[in-house]
Amino acid sequence: LAKTTQPISMDSYEGQEVNITCSHNNIATNDYITWYQQFPSQGPRFIIQGYKTKVTNEVASLFIPADRKSSTLSLPRVSLSDTAVYYCLVGAPLEAGSYQLTFGKGTKLSVIP
Amino acid sequence: GAGVSQTPSNKVTEKGKYVELRCDPISGHTALYWYRQSLGQGPEFLIYFQGTGAADDSGLPNDRFFAVRPEGSVSTLKIQRTERGDSAVYLCASSLLTGREQYFGPGTRLTVT
């Protein structure tokens, strides 16, 4: 499994766009990039998954450059409720029958009023 | 609808005691997973069930840990002769099918004194 590196923590003011970058230099051809969000005292929650270029859903956008050695999770106009730990995972896509999620330490995002 | 539930939410036990942690997955989800999360770390995979059988128990740290899912729904994680190093949050997740998005419960915080 490809190793991921992301900042340990980030601070942002309410209303700003937040970009969290994850490095995965050894990503394999078949690997997808998935982000999870975890609030205190809760289990992780799936946010978004992508393979290349850009993916957008109602919560976030995921930008993946052509070489796929990094990816950026973008959260538009964060609010206090976005304060959480964000995990970047690299591995087989959801539909491939994979089941073992490999989490790193994640990025602790603190949104300041 | 109801999400994944775990009981108890907190468990304090003495070193050497036996504990059972329960997970109620989302109704109809055939795949069930257990993870363990230590403070400041991401969740770590323990075991995966497809139906009633443990399809992969490679993440269990040693033979003091055992999990069952006798009827393909509720699962129990059992820890014998608990040690202080077993203190962590134990997370359960379920998915409709293997490889699909995993839905996590709130976890059981186990403290071994």
Side-chain angles (χ1 to χ4, degrees):
Chain A
L1 295 170
K3 181 180 176 180
T4 60
T5 303
Q6 47 183 130
I8 294 174
S9 64
M10 294 181 67
D11 293 337
S12 175
Y13 288 102
E14 271 191 296
Q16 290 189 329
E17 178 184 76
V18 170
N19 296 308
I20 306 174
T21 297
C22 178
S23 297
H24 28 79
N25 291 320
N26 297 323
I27 190 169
T29 302
N30 296 332
D31 284 341
Y32 277 59
I33 299 136
T34 309
W35 286 79
Y36 276 76
Q37 174 191 54
Q38 185 175 26
F39 297 113
S41 301
Q42 293 187 26
R45 181 175 73 110
F46 172 88
I47 300 177
I48 196 167
Q49 183 181 74
Y51 183 79
K52 63 179 180 181
T53 62
K54 177 183 175 182
V55 179
T56 298
N57 61 24
E58 65 278 5
V59 177
S61 294
L62 179 59
F63 298 91
I64 305 168
D67 66 5
R68 305 200 327 122
K69 293 183 182 299
S70 67
S71 58
T72 299
L73 175 72
S74 181
L75 305 173
R77 298 181 298 282
V78 294
S79 64
L80 296 176
S81 63
D82 292 316
T83 294
V85 177
Y86 293 82
Y87 295 97
C88 167
L89 288 74
V90 170
L94 289 175
E95 292 78 13
S98 65
Y99 49 83
Q100 204 181 110
L101 298 179
T102 302
F103 292 84
K105 294 186 177 182
T107 297
K108 184 175 182 180
L109 172 66
S110 298
V111 180
I112 307 164
Chain B
V4 176
S5 62
Q6 293 185 244
T7 54
S9 55
N10 282 284
K11 176 70 176 179
V12 180
T13 191
E14 293 180 348
K15 179 176 179 295
K17 299 291 187 181
Y18 168 83
V19 296
E20 289 189 352
L21 312 179
R22 176 187 169 109
C23 172
D24 279 88
I26 294 173
S27 178
H29 280 196
T30 60
L32 185 145
Y33 319 80
W34 284 97
Y35 293 82
R36 178 170 70 172
Q37 185 171 25
S38 300
L39 190 63
Q41 306 294 318
E44 174 189 20
F45 171 80
L46 296 177
I47 187 170
Y48 151 63
F49 286 90
Q50 178 55 48
T52 60
D56 182 355
D57 63 358
S58 62
L60 295 178
N62 52 60
D63 60 7
R64 295 187 297 106
F65 288 74
F66 189 71
V68 296
R69 195 186 185 198
E71 298 178 356
S73 178
V74 171
S75 176
T76 304
L77 179 66
K78 309 181 181 193
I79 309 174
Q80 298 177 323
R81 304 183 303 280
T82 53
E83 300 177 356
R84 292 192 180 87
D86 298 335
S87 296
V89 174
Y90 289 81
L91 294 162
C92 175
S94 70
S95 63
L96 185 59
L97 296 170
T98 300
R100 295 294 180 178
E101 179 184 339
Q102 295 183 21
Y103 295 84
F104 283 80
T108 293
R109 181 176 298 279
L110 176 66
T111 303
V112 182
T113 62

